[in-house]
Amino acid sequence: MTTYGSFPGTRPRRLRTTPAMRRMVAETRLHPADLILPAFVREGVSEPVPIATMPGVVQHTRDSLKKAAADAVAAGVSGIMLFGVPEESKKDALGTPGTDPDGILQVALRDVRAEVGDDLLVMSDLCLDETTDHGHCGVLDEQGRVDNDATLERYAEMAQVQADAGAHVVGPSGMMDGQIGVVRDALDQIGREDVAVLAYTVKYASAFYGPFREAVASSLQGDRKTYQQDPANVRESMRELALDLEEGADMVMVKPAGPYLDILARVADAVDVPVAAYQISGEYAMIEAAAEKGWIDRDRAILETLTGIKRAGARNVLTYWATEVAQKLGR
């Protein structure tokens, strides 16, 4: 006589039997509107310049950037985050191209707004590292240290010129104390209450930024550990979060994404504003490199990492695959 009681009465596998079943019960879904495309525009080039450490990503010309923005709109991507790469000869200790109305980032903002209008959120990186000859995110004092408060004055000026150039959203990324409050006040002073602030609330001093340094032609010598966060710390991130919200952040972000999913989940549970996460250059490069070697399935790995970031609590994800993934999701 057969004894059936030894078999399980509950079988979760029933909900995994077919693609249609798995799709129906999926708890986390990616959508094109979740995605934001980071893009680089380089001054003085006539053709897009490939970034060796980020296969498939380029430093755009003004024209190719406009096409990339139009492609993002067509795919349903929500936003584009712009990083400007000025000519080396224009960099200086104060990061003058960052506040020059004719600096490459401001020119690119005007270009993209003219191309896409309000169909795509045009976002601007608000930081000095791309424009300083020393490569730090702020101005330096006489001892060569980053001067927090002097840097805030530069950020206020940057916020105003970026808003005037057409940014819907500014993203202060330099990790200076008080940067969100200063930027919000600077925008309000010129009547730009409509420009949103995406706070780089949690930004760790990460090894995964390496390829980004090539992407923005960084002049940095040394590191940014005196202002970016220690990867060992959690409470520090929650303190930064409280400060940014108090200072008027409209949205908050965790960067990098993949190595800090625990932090992302903590932040998402704690706030009622939209939370973003930045899947950074090193995360991108690792997947592309492993896929090139044939060690992983590229497309599955991309979707798996993005799903994990969203599952951890991100409303939006900045990823260099934004347009590609959005096109596939649309199909």
Side-chain angles (χ1 to χ4, degrees):
M1 181 176 178
T2 304
T3 302
Y4 295 102
S6 60
F7 292 102
T10 301
R11 295 181 183 269
R13 287 184 54 189
R14 294 190 189 106
L15 300 183
R16 304 171 195 153
T17 52
T18 68
M21 177 67 81
R22 294 190 294 273
R23 186 170 63 246
M24 185 182 75
V25 301
E27 298 172 31
T28 304
R29 299 182 193 277
L30 283 173
H31 187 277
D34 298 334
L35 306 176
I36 297 167
L37 176 69
F40 308 100
V41 57
R42 179 171 170 178
E43 188 173 24
V45 295
S46 57
E47 297 290 338
V49 179
I51 300 169
T53 51
M54 299 176 69
V57 180
V58 301
Q59 294 171 326
H60 284 287
T61 66
R62 289 174 61 185
D63 285 340
S64 69
L65 177 64
K66 289 189 287 187
K67 182 180 185 306
D71 290 344
V73 171
V77 170
S78 282
I80 185 168
M81 175 66 80
L82 300 184
F83 298 84
V85 184
E87 293 179 350
E88 195 68 28
S89 62
K90 295 184 179 179
K91 295 181 181 182
D92 60 23
L94 296 177
T96 299
T99 50
D100 180 355
D102 294 320
I104 183 59
L105 180 53
Q106 286 68 253
V107 169
L109 286 166
R110 291 194 291 271
D111 285 344
V112 174
R113 276 302 299 271
E115 182 73 21
V116 302
D118 293 332
D119 292 336
L120 185 70
L121 281 175
V122 180
M123 305 177 170
S124 55
D125 179 59
L126 201 164
C127 196
L128 289 171
D129 59 322
E130 296 99 349
T131 59
T132 53
D133 55 11
H134 48 73
H136 277 287
C137 297
V139 295
L140 306 183
D141 64 16
E142 293 179 355
Q143 285 75 46
R145 302 169 300 187
V146 175
D147 186 325
N148 191 94
D149 295 0
T151 299
L152 293 181
E153 294 181 13
R154 300 289 293 133
Y155 285 2
E157 210 177 330
M158 291 182 77
Q160 293 176 341
V161 298
Q162 290 178 2
D164 285 343
H168 293 103
V169 180
V170 296
S173 62
M175 293 304 291
M176 297 298 119
D177 294 339
Q179 63 184 11
I180 302 305
V182 166
V183 165
R184 181 71 270 160
D185 187 53
L187 292 168
D188 292 350
Q189 283 186 22
I190 62 169
R192 297 311 306 270
E193 295 89 353
D194 58 324
V195 175
V197 178
L198 169 60
Y200 281 62
T201 292
V202 181
K203 185 177 181 182
Y204 284 99
S206 172
F208 292 94
Y209 296 134
F212 183 87
R213 305 278 164 81
E214 179 192 352
V216 297
S218 174
S219 306
L220 180 67
Q221 300 294 319
D223 59 50
R224 299 185 173 123
K225 293 180 180 179
T226 62
Y227 45 102
Q228 293 179 354
Q229 291 171 238
D230 185 341
N233 291 350
V234 177
R235 292 186 182 88
E236 183 180 28
S237 298
M238 304 311 290
R239 186 183 186 198
E240 293 278 5
L241 175 63
L243 290 168
D244 283 354
L245 292 173
E246 182 181 342
E247 292 173 25
D250 298 291
M251 300 171 278
V252 297
M253 184 157 69
V254 174
K255 179 180 181 182
Y260 298 97
L261 295 181
D262 59 325
I263 307 299
L264 175 59
R266 288 278 295 269
V267 169
D269 286 344
V271 303
D272 56 5
V273 299
V275 177
Y278 197 147
Q279 186 181 51
I280 65 170
S281 58
E283 297 175 75
Y284 175 95
M286 287 193 301
I287 289 176
E288 290 288 352
E292 185 181 355
K293 292 280 191 180
W295 293 342
I296 61 172
D297 182 317
R298 175 185 181 274
D299 291 354
R300 285 185 62 195
I302 292 170
L303 288 175
E304 186 174 335
T305 56
L306 289 172
T307 300
I309 293 166
K310 189 172 180 190
R311 188 186 64 243
R315 171 67 273 174
N316 298 103
V317 185
L318 285 81
T319 176
Y320 299 98
W321 290 299
T323 300
E324 175 188 341
V325 169
Q327 289 168 341
K328 290 176 179 175
L329 292 174
R331 290 197 291 269

